[in-house]
Each structure stands twice: as C-alpha cells, then as structure tokens.
C-alpha cells in the first residue's frame, strides 16, 4: 500500500481513548492498526482484499499469539 503507517502512530491515537475503543480499518495493508489495537486494548475489525497483504496480516497477528480469523 502506498500509505504505510507505523504501529506507533496508531498506538498514540489509541492512547486518547480510555477504554481502547472499537477501530475499523477498511484498507488494512500489513495490519499495523490491528497490531496497535491489540497492544492498546482496543478491538479492531479490518478488511483487506489483496491476498498478499492478508497473508502478511495473518502472519503478523499469529506472531503476537493471536488466532486471526479470515471471513470471506
């Protein structure tokens, strides 16, 4: 994706909300927002249509000890 954003950016945004909140990412890319949500206690729903990026997200979340679920 041409608009890569670091996990730290989303973590800073997440700190603005006491309860973590609910995040929606319609263009998930490599999953940075999902990683930040996990680290800050937020819930994140994300979509990504590019198979390569979906595989990257699944790997990345599995590395955090999560079991990502692909919903078709």
């Amino acid at each position: 994706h041409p608009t890569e954003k670091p996990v730290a950016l989303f973590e800073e945004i997440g700190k603005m909300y006491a309860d973590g909140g609910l995040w929606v990412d319609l263009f998930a890319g490599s999953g940075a927002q999902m990683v930040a949500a996990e680290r800050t206690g937020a819930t994140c729903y994300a979509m990504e249509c590019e198979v390569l990026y979906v595989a990257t997200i699944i790997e990345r979340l599995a590395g955090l000890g999560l079991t990502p679920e692909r919903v078709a």
Side-chain angles (χ1 to χ4, degrees):
H1 285 273
T3 60
E4 296 176 29
K5 294 164 195 73
V7 172
L9 172 65
F10 292 114
E11 288 177 330
E12 285 300 312
I13 293 169
K15 290 177 185 176
M16 292 185 237
Y17 303 95
D19 65 352
L22 174 64
W23 302 0
V24 177
D25 187 357
L26 301 179
F27 304 97
S30 65
Q33 188 169 343
M34 298 175 78
V35 171
E38 176 63 23
R39 290 182 181 172
T40 61
T43 299
C44 183
Y45 292 99
M47 289 189 336
E48 179 54 59
C49 61
E50 294 292 331
V51 176
L52 178 60
Y53 288 111
V54 173
T56 300
I57 292 168
I58 290 171
E59 251 183 64
R60 197 170 191 181
L61 295 179
L64 293 174
L66 302 173
T67 307
E69 180 182 332
R70 180 178 174 259
V71 179

